[in-house]
Amino acid sequence: MLERGLEPDFPPPAQTELAAIKAPAPAAGGMRDLRSLLWASIDNDDSRDLDQLTVAEALTDGSTRILVAIADVDALVRKGSALDAHASCNTTSIYTPGAVFPMLRRACRLISLR
């Protein structure tokens, strides 16, 4: 990872910002609480990085509505912050046989479906 310019570890300033995140981002105006829907993810059952979910709803006219939930990461991670800089460096979570190196550890997990 280092040879490719990636950061396997969160630098201390990013760790400090991460420790300051204690709760989900507050709901923005106009948001609906959709937690009662049966969301699905392509992630493993033990994944702590759910940043995209989908659900299908059968409608009364016989059609199907597909909803996609995408994490609003910037609700908790501000542009120009140390966490943003780390995410910009790696640009993705990196999965290896020995470990997963998340782009945004725990911050994505705190974004609730509202």
XYZ file of all heavy atoms in Angstrom:
850
model
N 0.818 -1.180 0.000
C 0.000 0.000 0.000
C 0.868 1.253 0.000
O 0.583 2.202 -0.726
C -0.936 0.007 1.205
C -2.056 -1.018 1.124
S -3.145 -1.043 2.571
C -3.870 0.578 2.482
N 1.898 1.229 0.818
C 2.775 2.395 0.889
C 3.463 2.669 -0.451
O 3.605 3.822 -0.848
C 3.815 2.211 1.996
C 3.261 2.176 3.415
C 4.363 1.798 4.403
C 2.630 3.497 3.785
N 3.875 1.598 -1.148
C 4.512 1.764 -2.455
C 3.597 2.451 -3.459
O 4.060 3.105 -4.378
C 4.938 0.408 -3.016
C 6.115 -0.211 -2.314
C 6.434 -1.597 -2.857
O 5.917 -1.980 -3.921
O 7.217 -2.308 -2.199
N 2.289 2.304 -3.287
C 1.293 2.897 -4.189
C 0.766 4.238 -3.678
O -0.170 4.791 -4.225
C 0.124 1.941 -4.390
C 0.525 0.606 -4.936
C 0.853 0.718 -6.394
N 1.125 -0.609 -6.928
C 1.923 -0.822 -7.934
N 2.532 0.179 -8.506
N 2.126 -2.031 -8.373
N 1.356 4.756 -2.607
C 0.954 6.063 -2.092
C -0.302 6.041 -1.231
O -0.922 7.081 -1.011
N -0.691 4.863 -0.736
C -1.870 4.751 0.102
C -1.487 4.776 1.575
O -0.351 4.476 1.938
C -2.617 3.457 -0.226
C -3.077 3.330 -1.675
C -3.616 1.935 -1.948
C -4.111 4.387 -2.011
N -2.438 5.126 2.413
C -2.203 5.187 3.856
C -2.920 4.031 4.544
O -4.135 4.056 4.677
C -2.737 6.504 4.421
C -2.037 7.737 3.897
C -2.643 9.028 4.433
O -3.746 9.001 5.008
O -2.000 10.065 4.257
N -2.204 2.986 4.997
C -2.868 1.871 5.669
C -3.420 2.252 7.039
O -4.381 1.663 7.505
C -1.780 0.808 5.783
C -0.498 1.543 5.649
C -0.772 2.761 4.827
N -2.848 3.235 7.667
C -3.285 3.650 9.004
C -3.810 5.073 8.965
O -3.381 5.894 8.144
C -2.123 3.566 9.996
C -1.592 2.152 10.130
O -2.416 1.236 10.342
O -0.368 1.958 10.009
N -4.740 5.354 9.866
C -5.250 6.716 9.990
C -4.205 7.556 10.731
O -3.775 7.178 11.819
C -6.562 6.720 10.762
C -7.737 6.269 9.941
C -7.864 4.954 9.539
C -8.709 7.174 9.559
C -8.939 4.540 8.778
C -9.793 6.774 8.794
C -9.911 5.453 8.403
N -3.813 8.701 10.170
C -2.835 9.541 10.861
C -3.427 10.099 12.166
O -4.658 10.178 12.308
C -2.545 10.661 9.859
C -3.543 10.544 8.777
C -4.219 9.226 8.888
N -2.577 10.468 13.123
C -3.074 10.958 14.425
C -4.128 12.067 14.329
O -5.128 12.002 15.055
C -1.802 11.418 15.142
C -0.734 10.510 14.582
C -1.102 10.348 13.123
N -3.987 13.072 13.456
C -5.050 14.089 13.399
C -6.408 13.501 12.981
O -7.453 13.905 13.496
C -4.549 15.090 12.354
C -3.067 14.914 12.337
C -2.851 13.448 12.603
N -6.393 12.525 12.089
C -7.638 11.879 11.673
C -8.210 11.054 12.828
O -9.428 11.015 13.035
C -7.401 11.003 10.449
N -7.345 10.396 13.598
C -7.790 9.632 14.772
C -8.481 10.560 15.774
O -9.501 10.204 16.369
C -6.595 8.941 15.445
C -5.930 7.898 14.603
C -6.539 6.524 14.795
O -7.489 6.336 15.545
N -6.001 5.562 14.086
N -7.926 11.751 15.964
C -8.512 12.721 16.896
C -9.891 13.159 16.423
O -10.845 13.217 17.213
C -7.581 13.944 17.040
O -6.320 13.498 17.546
C -8.169 14.989 17.976
N -10.011 13.468 15.121
C -11.319 13.848 14.581
C -12.319 12.713 14.714
O -13.482 12.931 15.060
C -11.190 14.248 13.116
C -10.472 15.553 12.898
C -10.272 15.869 11.426
O -10.767 15.137 10.560
O -9.593 16.883 11.162
N -11.876 11.511 14.463
C -12.738 10.344 14.551
C -13.251 10.145 15.976
O -14.436 9.873 16.194
C -11.969 9.110 14.088
C -12.739 7.821 13.957
C -13.866 7.962 12.950
C -11.795 6.712 13.529
N -12.379 10.321 16.956
C -12.761 10.153 18.356
C -13.816 11.179 18.777
O -14.609 10.934 19.690
C -11.529 10.253 19.251
N -13.854 12.319 18.100
C -14.811 13.374 18.439
C -16.216 13.083 17.896
O -17.185 13.707 18.324
C -14.315 14.717 17.909
N -16.348 12.125 16.982
C -17.668 11.777 16.437
C -18.332 10.813 17.411
O -17.899 9.683 17.576
C -17.533 11.148 15.032
C -16.893 12.132 14.068
C -18.902 10.695 14.526
C -16.569 11.534 12.706
N -19.381 11.268 18.052
C -20.019 10.478 19.111
C -21.423 9.992 18.764
O -21.983 9.168 19.464
C -20.112 11.321 20.396
C -18.781 11.797 20.918
C -17.939 10.660 21.410
C -16.663 11.193 22.044
N -15.650 10.206 22.201
N -22.019 10.529 17.687
C -23.410 10.187 17.381
C -23.650 10.334 15.886
O -22.851 10.964 15.181
C -24.338 11.112 18.160
N -24.746 9.764 15.411
C -25.094 9.950 13.993
C -25.298 11.417 13.667
O -25.602 12.234 14.544
C -26.410 9.187 13.847
C -26.451 8.248 14.997
C -25.695 8.914 16.108
N -25.160 11.744 12.412
C -25.427 13.102 11.961
C -26.903 13.411 12.174
O -27.755 12.537 12.016
C -25.057 13.245 10.489
N -27.223 14.649 12.536
C -28.642 14.987 12.699
C -29.360 14.928 11.351
O -28.759 15.174 10.303
C -28.606 16.411 13.248
C -27.250 16.941 12.912
C -26.330 15.766 12.805
N -30.635 14.595 11.390
C -31.433 14.521 10.167
C -31.581 15.914 9.564
O -31.839 16.880 10.274
C -32.799 13.932 10.472
N -31.388 15.990 8.260
C -31.577 17.255 7.553
C -33.058 17.416 7.228
O -33.822 16.446 7.216
C -30.739 17.262 6.278
N -33.465 18.629 6.948
C -34.861 18.905 6.628
C -35.356 18.088 5.440
O -34.632 17.845 4.489
N -36.594 17.631 5.520
C -37.197 16.890 4.425
C -36.851 15.415 4.374
O -37.303 14.695 3.488
N -36.052 14.937 5.315
C -35.690 13.515 5.313
C -36.817 12.689 5.913
O -37.500 13.124 6.839
C -34.404 13.280 6.099
C -33.190 13.912 5.485
S -31.740 13.590 6.490
C -30.842 12.540 5.406
N -36.994 11.485 5.373
C -37.970 10.540 5.903
C -37.240 9.416 6.616
O -36.177 8.999 6.177
C -38.814 9.949 4.775
C -39.658 10.974 4.056
C -40.424 10.337 2.913
N -39.462 9.884 1.891
C -39.639 8.817 1.117
N -40.707 8.082 1.225
N -38.734 8.490 0.220
N -37.820 8.918 7.692
C -37.235 7.791 8.422
C -37.617 6.512 7.680
O -38.792 6.132 7.643
C -37.759 7.766 9.849
C -37.072 6.724 10.704
O -36.519 5.745 10.146
O -37.087 6.875 11.929
N -36.647 5.845 7.083
C -36.885 4.642 6.293
C -36.288 3.392 6.936
O -36.101 2.376 6.286
C -36.308 4.830 4.877
C -36.870 6.014 4.096
C -36.130 6.161 2.765
C -38.359 5.860 3.864
N -36.004 3.466 8.222
C -35.378 2.329 8.898
C -36.288 1.117 8.992
O -35.815 0.013 9.204
C -34.885 2.740 10.281
C -33.694 3.696 10.214
C -33.299 4.182 11.575
N -34.303 5.139 12.040
C -34.231 5.774 13.203
N -33.237 5.549 14.024
N -35.173 6.636 13.543
N -37.577 1.284 8.828
C -38.499 0.149 8.923
C -38.473 -0.728 7.670
O -38.989 -1.853 7.689
C -39.923 0.646 9.156
O -40.366 1.407 8.030
N -37.882 -0.252 6.585
C -37.810 -1.037 5.352
C -36.747 -2.129 5.472
O -35.779 -1.999 6.223
C -37.501 -0.129 4.157
C -38.535 0.962 3.880
C -38.069 1.831 2.706
C -39.895 0.366 3.600
N -36.923 -3.198 4.726
C -36.000 -4.331 4.762
C -34.856 -4.087 3.776
O -34.848 -4.582 2.659
C -36.746 -5.626 4.431
C -35.974 -6.927 4.593
C -35.458 -7.078 6.024
C -36.860 -8.099 4.211
N -33.884 -3.303 4.193
C -32.744 -2.926 3.363
C -31.811 -4.114 3.167
O -31.675 -4.965 4.041
C -31.976 -1.773 4.002
C -32.764 -0.508 4.023
C -33.531 -0.042 5.047
C -32.882 0.442 2.974
N -34.116 1.149 4.692
C -33.736 1.467 3.422
C -32.355 0.537 1.682
C -34.072 2.568 2.645
C -32.688 1.633 0.910
C -33.531 2.634 1.386
N -31.126 -4.146 2.041
C -30.143 -5.191 1.746
C -28.830 -4.543 1.346
O -28.803 -3.441 0.798
C -30.650 -6.086 0.617
N -27.749 -5.245 1.610
C -26.410 -4.764 1.281
C -25.610 -5.895 0.651
O -25.833 -7.062 0.975
C -25.700 -4.286 2.551
O -24.334 -4.026 2.297
N -24.677 -5.554 -0.208
C -23.783 -6.575 -0.759
C -22.634 -6.874 0.200
O -21.863 -7.786 -0.026
C -23.221 -6.171 -2.142
C -22.356 -4.910 -2.030
C -24.339 -6.005 -3.144
C -21.559 -4.606 -3.284
N -22.544 -6.110 1.281
C -21.470 -6.299 2.257
C -21.697 -7.560 3.081
O -22.813 -8.070 3.189
C -21.381 -5.084 3.180
C -20.937 -3.834 2.447
O -19.844 -3.866 1.856
O -21.680 -2.842 2.455
N -20.641 -8.035 3.704
C -20.714 -9.186 4.599
C -21.597 -8.870 5.803
O -21.776 -7.703 6.158
C -19.319 -9.580 5.095
C -18.413 -10.008 3.975
O -18.871 -10.432 2.921
N -17.122 -9.893 4.201
N -22.115 -9.902 6.460
C -22.959 -9.721 7.640
C -22.244 -8.957 8.758
O -22.889 -8.258 9.533
C -23.426 -11.069 8.190
C -24.433 -11.744 7.276
O -25.008 -11.056 6.408
O -24.641 -12.952 7.433
N -20.937 -9.102 8.853
C -20.196 -8.458 9.932
C -19.573 -7.127 9.508
O -18.803 -6.526 10.250
C -19.119 -9.395 10.479
C -18.091 -9.796 9.429
O -18.307 -9.527 8.222
O -17.071 -10.391 9.820
N -19.925 -6.627 8.347
C -19.355 -5.371 7.858
C -19.756 -4.208 8.751
O -20.885 -4.125 9.225
C -19.823 -5.099 6.427
O -19.308 -3.864 5.981
N -18.832 -3.315 8.990
C -19.085 -2.108 9.779
C -19.049 -0.870 8.873
O -18.973 0.244 9.353
C -18.043 -1.975 10.887
C -17.927 -3.187 11.808
C -19.181 -3.458 12.575
N -19.294 -2.470 13.637
C -20.347 -2.344 14.423
N -21.361 -3.128 14.287
N -20.374 -1.437 15.357
N -19.087 -1.070 7.568
C -18.914 0.012 6.605
C -20.053 -0.027 5.581
O -19.849 -0.231 4.412
C -17.554 -0.175 5.908
C -17.188 0.993 5.019
O -17.832 2.042 5.110
O -16.245 0.846 4.226
N -21.294 0.118 6.062
C -22.449 0.077 5.172
C -22.669 1.470 4.586
O -23.232 2.346 5.224
C -23.694 -0.385 5.940
C -23.609 -1.776 6.549
C -24.872 -2.091 7.331
C -23.353 -2.826 5.481
N -22.219 1.660 3.377
C -22.339 2.979 2.759
C -23.315 2.997 1.593
O -23.605 4.052 1.039
C -20.973 3.499 2.322
C -20.238 2.519 1.424
O -20.798 1.463 1.094
O -19.104 2.812 1.060
N -23.854 1.829 1.225
C -24.866 1.763 0.179
C -25.786 0.586 0.466
O -25.331 -0.517 0.742
C -24.233 1.589 -1.193
C -25.262 1.531 -2.303
C -24.628 1.433 -3.670
O -23.552 1.949 -3.903
N -25.309 0.762 -4.568
N -27.092 0.844 0.428
C -28.102 -0.173 0.669
C -29.175 -0.071 -0.402
O -29.357 0.985 -1.008
C -28.755 0.036 2.041
C -27.824 0.049 3.250
C -28.572 0.535 4.484
C -27.255 -1.331 3.488
N -29.915 -1.162 -0.624
C -31.025 -1.145 -1.572
C -32.228 -1.858 -0.968
O -32.093 -2.692 -0.081
C -30.655 -1.841 -2.901
O -30.213 -3.171 -2.609
C -29.570 -1.102 -3.644
N -33.397 -1.502 -1.471
C -34.636 -2.163 -1.062
C -35.595 -2.106 -2.246
O -35.568 -1.160 -3.029
C -35.254 -1.507 0.204
C -35.737 -0.101 -0.061
C -36.360 -2.365 0.787
N -36.409 -3.138 -2.385
C -37.436 -3.181 -3.429
C -38.800 -3.234 -2.753
O -38.992 -3.982 -1.789
C -37.242 -4.398 -4.322
N -39.726 -2.427 -3.248
C -41.086 -2.395 -2.721
C -42.072 -2.745 -3.825
O -42.030 -2.136 -4.901
C -41.445 -0.995 -2.231
C -40.713 -0.513 -1.017
C -41.176 0.890 -0.641
O -40.900 1.837 -1.385
O -41.829 1.012 0.419
N -42.948 -3.707 -3.560
C -44.016 -4.020 -4.509
C -45.114 -2.974 -4.340
O -45.576 -2.723 -3.227
C -44.562 -5.417 -4.236
N -45.513 -2.347 -5.430
C -46.555 -1.324 -5.385
C -47.906 -1.920 -5.762
O -47.986 -2.981 -6.393
C -46.177 -0.170 -6.324
C -44.824 0.495 -6.012
C -44.525 1.598 -7.017
C -44.807 1.053 -4.595
N -48.959 -1.255 -5.388
C -50.316 -1.780 -5.599
C -50.673 -1.934 -7.071
O -51.524 -2.751 -7.420
C -51.356 -0.878 -4.914
O -51.206 0.461 -5.410
C -51.176 -0.888 -3.415
N -50.015 -1.190 -7.962
C -50.321 -1.305 -9.395
C -49.522 -2.415 -10.073
O -49.545 -2.561 -11.283
C -50.091 0.026 -10.101
C -48.629 0.464 -10.103
O -47.767 -0.268 -9.561
O -48.329 1.542 -10.656
N -48.795 -3.211 -9.293
C -48.019 -4.318 -9.835
C -46.586 -3.957 -10.183
O -45.786 -4.832 -10.512
N -46.245 -2.691 -10.121
C -44.864 -2.288 -10.414
C -44.016 -2.394 -9.146
O -44.532 -2.652 -8.058
C -44.820 -0.864 -10.977
O -45.323 0.061 -10.030
N -42.731 -2.204 -9.306
C -41.787 -2.293 -8.193
C -40.998 -1.010 -8.093
O -40.527 -0.478 -9.093
C -40.812 -3.473 -8.400
O -41.573 -4.676 -8.535
C -39.850 -3.617 -7.239
N -40.861 -0.521 -6.879
C -40.043 0.671 -6.622
C -38.733 0.197 -6.001
O -38.721 -0.567 -5.032
C -40.739 1.609 -5.656
C -39.870 2.834 -5.315
C -40.520 3.734 -4.305
N -41.885 4.025 -4.725
C -42.830 4.501 -3.920
N -42.569 4.749 -2.657
N -44.040 4.729 -4.362
N -37.625 0.638 -6.582
C -36.291 0.327 -6.053
C -35.748 1.597 -5.401
O -35.700 2.649 -6.034
C -35.319 -0.125 -7.171
C -35.889 -1.288 -7.978
C -33.942 -0.436 -6.595
C -36.026 -2.568 -7.212
N -35.339 1.490 -4.156
C -34.721 2.608 -3.447
C -33.255 2.276 -3.184
O -32.917 1.135 -2.870
C -35.430 2.868 -2.120
C -36.925 3.209 -2.195
C -37.514 3.282 -0.795
C -37.143 4.511 -2.933
N -32.409 3.266 -3.315
C -30.984 3.116 -3.035
C -30.616 4.154 -1.982
O -30.896 5.344 -2.158
C -30.130 3.322 -4.311
C -28.646 3.221 -3.982
C -30.525 2.327 -5.383
N -30.026 3.708 -0.897
C -29.551 4.604 0.159
C -28.034 4.710 0.048
O -27.338 3.696 0.014
C -29.941 4.063 1.533
N -27.548 5.923 -0.021
C -26.107 6.157 -0.113
C -25.706 7.042 1.066
O -26.334 8.071 1.324
C -25.733 6.826 -1.450
C -26.150 5.909 -2.599
C -24.237 7.148 -1.495
C -25.960 6.493 -3.966
N -24.678 6.633 1.774
C -24.230 7.364 2.962
C -23.852 8.795 2.609
O -23.148 9.049 1.635
C -23.034 6.653 3.590
N -24.333 9.715 3.404
C -23.999 11.133 3.253
C -22.800 11.410 4.161
O -22.935 11.980 5.236
C -25.202 11.988 3.637
C -24.964 13.466 3.425
O -23.941 13.833 2.807
O -25.792 14.266 3.887
N -21.645 10.985 3.703
C -20.445 11.039 4.537
C -20.105 12.463 4.967
O -19.678 12.692 6.093
C -19.249 10.395 3.795
C -17.971 10.557 4.590
C -19.542 8.931 3.544
N -20.347 13.440 4.097
C -19.952 14.790 4.476
C -20.850 15.388 5.559
O -20.606 16.494 6.029
C -19.843 15.712 3.263
C -21.171 16.039 2.613
O -22.185 15.416 2.946
O -21.181 16.932 1.753
N -21.865 14.641 6.003
C -22.650 15.089 7.150
C -21.817 15.010 8.426
O -22.085 15.717 9.388
C -23.912 14.247 7.293
N -20.809 14.152 8.445
C -19.941 13.996 9.622
C -18.482 14.322 9.340
O -17.742 14.668 10.247
C -20.032 12.558 10.153
C -21.341 12.159 10.810
C -21.334 10.680 11.141
C -21.576 12.982 12.059
N -18.056 14.177 8.108
C -16.654 14.404 7.751
C -16.588 15.656 6.880
O -17.076 15.665 5.759
C -16.063 13.191 6.997
C -14.630 13.462 6.584
C -16.148 11.946 7.867
N -16.012 16.689 7.406
C -15.974 17.977 6.723
C -14.858 18.045 5.686
O -13.761 17.507 5.885
C -15.791 19.119 7.727
C -16.889 19.184 8.758
C -18.187 19.639 8.113
N -19.289 19.513 9.057
C -20.481 19.058 8.738
N -20.740 18.669 7.523
N -21.426 18.978 9.634
N -15.155 18.741 4.586
C -14.160 18.956 3.534
C -12.953 19.687 4.119
O -13.099 20.642 4.866
C -14.771 19.774 2.398
C -13.845 19.929 1.235
C -14.505 20.628 0.073
C -13.503 20.695 -1.073
N -14.133 21.131 -2.299
N -11.774 19.184 3.768
C -10.538 19.793 4.252
C -10.079 19.271 5.595
O -8.998 19.640 6.057
N -10.870 18.413 6.236
C -10.482 17.863 7.538
C -9.417 16.783 7.345
O -9.148 16.330 6.225
C -11.698 17.272 8.247
O -12.161 16.121 7.544
N -8.827 16.340 8.442
C -7.826 15.274 8.374
C -8.451 13.965 7.891
O -7.826 13.218 7.135
C -7.167 15.083 9.739
N -9.702 13.689 8.287
C -10.390 12.493 7.799
C -10.642 12.586 6.303
O -10.492 11.608 5.575
C -11.712 12.284 8.539
C -11.606 11.675 9.922
C -12.944 11.771 10.653
C -11.127 10.240 9.854
N -11.021 13.759 5.838
C -11.241 13.970 4.410
C -9.937 13.774 3.644
O -9.918 13.150 2.577
C -11.800 15.372 4.177
C -12.065 15.668 2.718
O -12.754 14.869 2.058
O -11.575 16.710 2.233
N -8.841 14.271 4.176
C -7.540 14.117 3.515
C -7.153 12.641 3.410
O -6.663 12.193 2.372
C -6.466 14.904 4.265
N -7.398 11.880 4.477
C -7.095 10.445 4.446
C -7.960 9.738 3.405
O -7.467 8.936 2.615
C -7.289 9.820 5.825
C -7.093 8.337 5.828
N -5.853 7.756 5.769
C -7.982 7.320 5.838
C -5.981 6.438 5.765
N -7.276 6.153 5.797
N -9.255 10.044 3.399
C -10.171 9.437 2.427
C -9.775 9.829 1.008
O -9.840 9.009 0.090
C -11.600 9.857 2.721
N -9.357 11.056 0.808
C -8.938 11.510 -0.518
C -7.676 10.795 -0.978
O -7.499 10.545 -2.164
C -8.688 13.023 -0.502
O -9.886 13.715 -0.275
N -6.826 10.449 -0.043
C -5.596 9.732 -0.388
C -5.921 8.319 -0.855
O -5.453 7.890 -1.912
C -4.662 9.698 0.819
S -3.146 8.763 0.533
N -6.711 7.598 -0.097
C -6.997 6.204 -0.434
C -8.135 6.065 -1.436
O -8.156 5.125 -2.212
C -7.325 5.402 0.826
C -6.090 5.098 1.646
O -4.988 5.516 1.319
N -6.268 4.384 2.726
N -9.101 6.924 -1.404
C -10.283 6.993 -2.276
C -11.232 5.805 -2.173
O -12.293 5.832 -2.771
C -9.918 7.204 -3.765
O -9.293 6.036 -4.299
C -9.042 8.414 -3.957
N -10.893 4.777 -1.434
C -11.760 3.609 -1.274
C -11.301 2.799 -0.076
O -10.183 2.964 0.402
C -11.717 2.718 -2.543
O -12.706 1.691 -2.412
C -10.356 2.094 -2.746
N -12.177 1.931 0.421
C -11.730 0.948 1.400
C -10.944 -0.113 0.648
O -11.265 -0.448 -0.493
C -12.933 0.305 2.102
O -13.612 1.266 2.882
N -9.899 -0.637 1.274
C -9.024 -1.602 0.616
C -9.147 -2.933 1.345
O -8.936 -3.011 2.556
C -7.567 -1.094 0.612
C -7.512 0.229 -0.156
C -6.638 -2.129 -0.008
C -6.255 1.011 0.047
N -9.531 -3.965 0.597
C -9.754 -5.289 1.162
C -8.593 -6.194 0.788
O -8.312 -6.386 -0.383
C -11.075 -5.863 0.629
C -12.262 -5.011 1.013
C -12.631 -3.915 0.248
C -12.997 -5.299 2.151
C -13.711 -3.124 0.608
C -14.080 -4.519 2.522
C -14.429 -3.432 1.745
O -15.487 -2.653 2.101
N -7.928 -6.741 1.808
C -6.842 -7.685 1.585
C -7.170 -8.953 2.376
O -8.015 -8.926 3.276
C -5.487 -7.118 2.053
O -5.498 -7.039 3.488
C -5.208 -5.748 1.458
N -6.508 -10.069 2.086
C -6.791 -11.296 2.848
C -6.537 -11.134 4.354
O -7.240 -11.721 5.162
C -5.833 -12.318 2.250
C -5.560 -11.821 0.874
C -5.582 -10.315 0.978
N -5.570 -10.304 4.718
C -5.218 -10.177 6.125
C -5.985 -9.123 6.889
O -6.129 -9.216 8.109
N -6.502 -8.112 6.197
C -7.168 -7.005 6.888
C -7.939 -6.146 5.895
O -7.662 -6.174 4.693
C -6.136 -6.142 7.609
N -8.883 -5.388 6.442
C -9.594 -4.382 5.661
C -9.095 -3.029 6.126
O -9.026 -2.753 7.324
C -11.126 -4.491 5.866
C -11.834 -3.344 5.158
C -11.624 -5.830 5.377
N -8.734 -2.173 5.179
C -8.270 -0.831 5.481
C -9.370 0.132 5.029
O -9.449 0.477 3.856
C -6.949 -0.552 4.761
C -5.858 -1.497 5.182
C -5.657 -2.680 4.489
C -5.078 -1.222 6.287
C -4.665 -3.566 4.882
C -4.081 -2.109 6.682
C -3.877 -3.281 5.987
N -10.256 0.558 5.972
C -11.404 1.366 5.579
C -11.011 2.782 5.180
O -10.079 3.360 5.735
C -12.271 1.368 6.829
C -11.323 1.133 7.950
C -10.214 0.283 7.395
N -11.733 3.316 4.212
C -11.510 4.692 3.800
C -11.919 5.637 4.928
O -11.220 6.584 5.236
C -12.318 4.999 2.539
C -12.132 6.415 2.035
S -12.977 6.719 0.479
C -14.672 6.732 0.976
N -13.072 5.373 5.519
C -13.590 6.190 6.613
C -14.062 5.275 7.727
O -15.206 4.858 7.755
C -14.759 7.062 6.141
C -14.389 8.165 5.169
C -15.638 8.753 4.548
C -13.571 9.237 5.858
N -13.178 4.940 8.613
C -13.521 4.037 9.707
C -14.567 4.660 10.614
O -14.496 5.824 10.955
C -12.262 3.729 10.516
C -12.499 2.750 11.615
C -11.245 2.358 12.316
N -10.289 3.427 12.322
C -9.037 3.276 12.684
N -8.603 2.128 13.075
N -8.213 4.281 12.662
N -15.540 3.899 10.981
C -16.601 4.206 11.928
C -17.467 5.390 11.516
O -18.632 5.417 11.829
C -16.069 4.437 13.337
C -17.181 4.362 14.392
C -16.615 4.418 15.774
N -16.192 5.725 16.159
C -16.917 6.575 16.868
N -18.092 6.252 17.286
N -16.440 7.758 17.197
N -16.971 6.379 10.801
C -17.789 7.531 10.443
C -18.976 7.112 9.596
O -20.090 7.562 9.819
C -16.947 8.569 9.706
N -18.771 6.222 8.634
C -19.885 5.755 7.806
C -20.895 4.992 8.635
O -22.080 5.073 8.396
C -19.387 4.872 6.666
S -18.541 5.767 5.375
N -20.431 4.260 9.608
C -21.310 3.442 10.432
C -22.273 4.303 11.234
O -23.354 3.883 11.597
C -20.446 2.605 11.369
C -21.181 1.526 12.085
C -20.232 0.652 12.858
N -19.803 1.322 14.054
C -18.585 1.285 14.526
N -17.650 0.643 13.911
N -18.272 1.901 15.641
N -21.910 5.537 11.511
C -22.739 6.400 12.346
C -23.791 7.172 11.556
O -24.606 7.870 12.136
C -21.857 7.392 13.112
C -21.006 6.763 14.207
C -20.036 7.773 14.757
C -21.876 6.209 15.305
N -23.771 7.045 10.260
C -24.757 7.758 9.449
C -26.014 6.908 9.422
O -26.021 5.796 8.937
C -24.208 7.999 8.033
C -22.972 8.886 8.137
C -25.268 8.648 7.152
C -22.184 8.951 6.886
N -27.084 7.426 9.978
C -28.310 6.630 10.096
C -29.212 6.827 8.891
O -29.116 7.810 8.177
C -29.053 7.022 11.382
O -29.401 8.383 11.335
N -30.085 5.861 8.684
C -31.063 5.940 7.598
C -32.270 6.716 8.083
O -33.128 6.199 8.774
C -31.483 4.532 7.168
C -30.416 3.734 6.461
C -30.887 2.306 6.259
C -30.102 4.371 5.121
N -32.306 7.981 7.747
C -33.450 8.818 8.108
C -33.886 9.559 6.881
O -33.138 9.871 6.033
C -33.084 9.818 9.178
C -32.899 9.157 10.518
C -32.781 10.179 11.564
N -31.369 10.401 11.800
C -30.856 10.628 12.975
N -31.614 10.687 14.026
N -29.594 10.799 13.145
